[in-house]
Amino acid sequence: MTTGVDAGCPAHSPRRGVTVLGTAVMVVGLVIGWVVLYAVGLVGALWRFREPDAPAPTLSSSDQWADLAVGAAQVAVGAIAIAAVYFARRRRLSAVWLPRAGTAREAAITWCAAIGAASASVLLLSRTDIVRFSFSIPASVESDWLAVVSALAVGLREEPILVALPVLLLVGRLPVWAIMALSGTMRGLLYLYFGGGGFLWALCWGAAAVWVFYRYRRLWVLIAIHGLVMNIQVLDRVIPSENAATVLQWINILILFTALLWWVTPRALDAFLPNTVAGRYGDSTGRTTPMVTEVVLNHEKLDPDEVGREPPVKP
C-alpha cells in the first residue's frame, strides 16, 4: 500500500527522475555539440589566454576562406538544430514560454545597454589589476574584405547556437537564469583570448543575450547588433582614412553607452522619484501620482465645495 506521503512526494516520482535525466542529457549534448562546432575558436582562445604576448597570426586567403567555410557550417547546423527543436517542442513551448512582448527597439536598447555595462565594469576591473582584459593584436590577413565579411557575420555564427538553441531546447526544463549561466559560460570561453576579463565580459553580455531573446524573442536583433555594432571597427580595414579606426571606435562607444543611459535613466527616476511621470523607451503611457489618480477617479475631489452634494439626477 502506498502512503499518502510517498504518493505526494515529487522527489521520488519516476517521471520526475526521467525528466531530470533527460534534461541532463540535453545539456551534455548541447555542450558537446558546442565544443565540436567551435573547436578551432576554443583552441585559439585558450592558446592566446596562455600566451598573451605571442605575435598575431598571419592568415592567407585560403585560411580566410576556410574560416568562412567553418562559419557557414556553423550557421547551417544552427538553423537546422533550431528548426528541429522548434518543431519538436512547438506545442509545449506555448505553455512554458511567455508570449513575445516589447519592440525590436527595446530589445536592441536592452542588449546594447548590457554590453555597455559589461564593458565599463570589466575595463574598471582591468584598470585596478583585478582581471586582465587586453585587446589582442588583430591577425594579419591577405584579404581585408574577407576579414570584414567574417567579422560582420559573427552574429550569424554565434547567436543562433549560443542563444536561440539553448532557450528553445531548455526553456521549461531549466530556470531561465540557469540557461543564461550555461550560455554565458560557453560564450565567455570563446573570448578568453582577451584574458580573464574577456571571459567575464562575454559571460555578462552573453547571459544578457539569452534574457533578451527570452523576453523579446527577436533573434535578428541580436545578430545585427553583434555584427554591425560590436564589430564595426573592422571596417577600418577597408576605409581609406587614417582616422577611421578612431571614428569607428567612438561610434561603437556612443551607441553602447547611449543605450545604457537610455535604459538606466527611466529606471533610476522610477526608483528615486516614484511619484513622477516617467516614460519608458518613448512609450506614450506614464505613471501618475496617487493623488492624480484619486482626483480622476473620485469626482468629488474635483471641486472641494461640492463635497457631500448628491449627484444630479437625470430628468
Side-chain angles (χ1 to χ4, degrees):
M1 179 177 178
T2 304
T3 64
V5 176
D6 293 335
C9 181
H12 298 287
S13 171
R15 181 178 178 84
R16 179 180 175 85
V18 172
T19 302
V20 171
L21 179 60
T23 301
V25 170
M26 291 177 187
V27 171
V28 172
L30 180 66
V31 172
I32 292 175
W34 164 76
V35 170
V36 172
L37 285 174
Y38 293 96
V40 176
L42 278 171
V43 171
L46 291 172
W47 170 76
R48 177 62 68 175
F49 177 75
R50 296 184 59 183
E51 303 289 342
D53 298 324
T58 301
L59 303 179
S60 64
S61 292
S62 59
D63 295 329
Q64 292 178 269
W65 280 113
D67 177 67
L68 288 175
V70 172
Q74 292 169 341
V75 173
V77 170
I80 293 171
I82 288 173
V85 172
Y86 175 77
F87 283 111
R89 300 198 68 199
R90 63 185 183 279
R91 295 181 180 177
R92 180 164 174 76
L93 282 175
S94 59
V96 298
W97 200 354
L98 297 177
R100 184 172 72 171
T103 64
R105 184 180 68 170
E106 292 172 0
I109 290 174
T110 301
W111 200 40
C112 284
I115 298 170
S119 302
S121 302
V122 172
L123 286 174
L124 179 61
L125 293 175
S126 176
R127 290 290 183 180
T128 55
D129 294 328
I130 296 177
V131 295
R132 179 175 66 83
F133 184 71
S134 56
F135 290 102
S136 59
I137 302 173
S140 299
V141 296
E142 185 175 346
S143 173
D144 289 330
W145 280 106
L146 289 179
V148 170
V149 171
S150 179
L152 296 183
V154 72
L156 280 171
R157 300 176 65 164
E158 293 188 10
E159 304 314 316
I161 295 177
L162 295 179
V163 176
L165 184 59
V167 172
L168 289 171
L169 185 65
L170 300 174
V171 67
R173 297 184 170 111
L174 288 178
V176 175
W177 65 263
I179 304 174
M180 292 170 63
L182 174 63
S183 176
T185 301
M186 292 191 296
R187 180 99 67 168
L189 290 172
L190 292 174
Y191 286 78
L192 271 175
Y193 53 80
F194 288 148
F199 171 82
L200 182 61
W201 173 65
L203 184 149
C204 293
W205 58 257
V210 171
W211 188 89
V212 170
F213 178 67
Y214 175 79
R215 175 66 174 80
Y216 298 99
R217 208 177 302 180
R218 286 178 169 84
L219 182 62
W220 69 267
V221 172
L222 301 177
I223 292 173
I225 289 175
H226 197 160
L228 300 177
V229 176
M230 295 181 67
N231 288 348
I232 192 173
Q233 298 92 330
V234 73
L235 294 176
D236 171 56
R237 290 182 178 271
V238 295
I239 296 178
S241 173
E242 296 181 355
N243 299 322
T246 302
V247 172
L248 293 170
Q249 182 67 49
W250 274 107
I251 290 174
N252 174 272
I253 292 172
L254 288 174
I255 291 174
L256 296 180
F257 286 95
T258 299
L260 178 59
L261 184 63
W262 187 289
W263 192 88
V264 168
T265 299
R267 288 163 175 80
L269 289 174
D270 189 34
F272 293 102
L273 300 171
N275 292 332
T276 60
V277 177
R280 293 177 183 267
Y281 299 120
D283 291 342
S284 60
T285 57
R287 296 201 307 168
T288 58
T289 62
M291 180 58 72
V292 172
T293 304
E294 184 181 9
V295 169
V296 172
L297 296 179
N298 190 345
H299 69 276
E300 293 181 351
K301 296 297 182 71
L302 295 175
D303 187 352
D305 296 332
E306 298 295 325
V307 176
R309 180 179 297 178
E310 294 293 329
V313 178
K314 293 184 179 180

